[in-house]
Amino acid sequence: MSLKNFLTSKAFLKQIIIAVVITVLLVIAVMKWLNYYTNHDQKIPVPDLTKKTVDKAEKELEALTLNYVILDTVDYRPDFPPYSIVQQDPLPKVNVKENRKIYIKLNAGGYNDIDLPELVQKTKRSAESILKSVGLEVGEITYKPYLAEDVVLEVRQKGKRLSAGDKVKKASKVDLVLGDGKTGYHISDEDRANMP
């Protein structure tokens, strides 16, 4: 039998039809199984977890058959309660399926300690800029007699003198003691008389 005769025979056409029917039935069965396995029509809206404690969020998520994973603790944000949820992914009101993991980030319990930068003998403007860049605020500014005007002579916090490298809470205020620029080199009349 030649190839042409085989391709046009009833036996070959019958085999092609059987193969197409089996393939279609297999595709339909796989699609039905995928819909069942992936919960295709299921939609659970994610609740808003911001500003809630982990315990409250856990109870709320368990009631919806959702899970959570704590990713990280972010720097302290005063507009959120300590140890409360600051961010979540997926966002609130997004539809998910059961057992979906909700990734959350928590607010720290308070500000972290940071090292006080070197400020002595810096200008007032430079010291303010440095303090702002490390997350500190300028508190009270006082002056004392010194040759250079607006130069930092001391750094204090709550009356205690601080040095570079001392630990202070981020976002706290530090007080600066600056030179007033009114002290200068004075020549006495006696010295003036002896000058050439």
Side-chain angles (χ1 to χ4, degrees):
M1 179 183 269
S2 70
L3 181 62
K4 184 179 178 186
N5 289 342
F6 174 72
L7 292 177
T8 56
S9 69
K10 284 184 178 184
F12 179 73
L13 290 176
K14 187 176 174 182
Q15 294 299 322
I16 290 290
I17 291 170
I18 291 171
V20 168
V21 168
I22 290 174
T23 303
V24 169
L25 291 175
L26 195 61
V27 167
I28 290 170
V30 167
M31 294 301 285
K32 292 268 188 199
W33 177 80
L34 279 174
N35 281 341
Y36 168 76
Y37 184 75
T38 62
N39 299 326
H40 181 68
D41 293 330
Q42 189 178 49
K43 293 178 182 171
I44 302 171
V46 176
D48 187 1
L49 303 174
T50 53
K51 296 191 177 184
K52 294 181 181 175
T53 64
V54 174
D55 291 337
K56 286 183 182 177
E58 182 177 19
K59 288 175 185 171
E60 198 170 330
L61 292 174
E62 279 180 1
L64 297 170
T65 63
L66 299 174
N67 300 314
Y68 72 94
V69 175
I70 298 173
L71 289 180
D72 199 3
T73 302
V74 299
D75 285 340
Y76 181 69
R77 292 174 53 179
D79 51 328
F80 286 84
Y83 306 111
S84 67
I85 296 170
V86 175
Q87 295 175 353
Q88 71 181 70
D89 181 34
L91 295 172
K93 299 180 183 172
V94 171
N95 290 324
V96 295
K97 296 174 184 168
E98 68 180 13
N99 296 319
R100 170 70 191 263
K101 290 179 182 172
I102 310 300
Y103 298 95
I104 58 177
K105 291 185 180 181
L106 301 178
N107 194 21
Y111 289 109
N112 295 332
D113 287 337
I114 58 171
D115 293 332
L116 182 70
E118 180 62 59
L119 298 173
V120 176
Q121 293 300 313
K122 304 263 191 231
T123 64
K124 175 185 173 190
R125 177 187 255 177
S126 176
E128 288 173 337
S129 176
I130 291 169
L131 288 172
K132 185 176 180 182
S133 71
V134 296
L136 295 172
E137 296 179 29
V138 176
E140 185 180 330
I141 295 178
T142 56
Y143 290 89
K144 75 178 196 180
Y146 188 70
L147 178 65
E149 185 177 0
D150 283 343
V151 170
V152 178
L153 303 176
E154 294 176 23
V155 180
R156 295 184 171 274
Q157 189 175 52
K158 298 177 185 171
K160 180 185 170 194
R161 189 174 183 167
L162 300 175
S163 301
D166 287 349
K167 299 284 185 191
V168 292
K169 291 282 183 198
K170 190 172 184 174
S172 63
K173 291 184 178 183
V174 293
D175 303 328
L176 301 177
V177 179
L178 305 176
D180 62 5
K182 294 180 181 173
T183 303
Y185 180 73
H186 296 288
I187 301 174
S188 66
D189 290 336
E190 184 181 315
D191 289 338
R192 190 172 280 129
N194 293 332
M195 289 176 71

